[in-house]
Amino acid sequence: MASPIHVVVGVILAEDGRILLTRRPEHLHMGGRWEFPGGKVEIGESAEQALIRELEEEVGLLVSTPSKLIQVEHDYGDKLVRLDSWLVNKFSGTANGLEGQSLIWAKVAELENYQFPDANQVIVEVVQAHFKKVELF
């Protein structure tokens, strides 16, 4: 099997406790599903550098001091994806769909109402468990 596609995603947490979700364009793999914003790691980039670049390019947020959340590998059959997820609670700017994608700020308790790509499901569960444990939301 080919090497996994290395992708970074940000679980972007606003001060009011909501998390930013973006919608995948219909023509892409898992199109129409909601996801945590991010993108592919480029050659020579660290995962953190890729996250900072992707979030600025994709949603216009300037991120500082993200923290690692969880790494997930998922086999879709036609491709293997390695997702590095990061918790982002320090950022500036206003989120916009700079690539034409829809976005929404969702409450943690409502994440189960959104359809995510299969590889994101573990991240959703970790986020829900974390915030339930600390009783923030």
Side-chain angles (χ1 to χ4, degrees):
M1 171 157 283
S3 297
I5 300 167
H6 192 186
V7 176
V8 289
V9 297
V11 177
I12 303 170
L13 183 66
E15 287 183 15
D16 66 3
R18 293 180 299 151
I19 291 178
L20 183 64
L21 303 178
T22 56
R23 193 166 199 169
R24 293 183 61 76
E26 291 292 339
H27 69 279
L28 295 180
H29 183 257
M30 297 277 150
R33 294 188 183 197
W34 292 92
E35 65 183 354
F36 304 104
K40 293 179 186 172
V41 177
E42 294 181 355
I43 295 172
E45 268 185 327
S46 70
E48 184 174 354
Q49 290 169 329
L51 178 76
I52 291 168
R53 176 187 53 76
E54 283 286 349
L55 294 181
E56 184 175 4
E57 291 175 0
E58 190 175 320
V59 294
L61 296 178
L62 300 175
V63 172
S64 60
T65 62
S67 55
K68 289 184 180 183
L69 192 59
I70 186 175
Q71 186 177 85
V72 177
E73 282 206 5
H74 186 83
D75 186 350
Y76 282 104
D78 60 337
K79 64 177 77 178
L80 180 63
V81 177
R82 177 186 309 131
L83 282 179
D84 272 317
S85 63
W86 297 73
L87 181 62
V88 176
N89 57 12
K90 293 180 183 170
F91 60 90
S92 61
T94 301
N96 290 291
L98 299 179
E99 297 175 347
Q101 73 277 38
S102 299
L103 55 81
I104 190 168
W105 289 95
K107 293 180 180 177
V108 172
E110 296 172 351
L111 291 178
E112 61 202 32
N113 298 333
Y114 296 89
Q115 187 176 19
F116 287 85
D118 299 341
N120 282 237
Q121 197 55 50
V122 173
I123 301 168
V124 170
E125 291 167 8
V126 166
V127 168
Q128 288 174 321
H130 174 74
F131 288 109
K132 186 174 185 177
K133 185 171 67 178
V134 295
E135 296 181 16
L136 291 178
F137 310 101

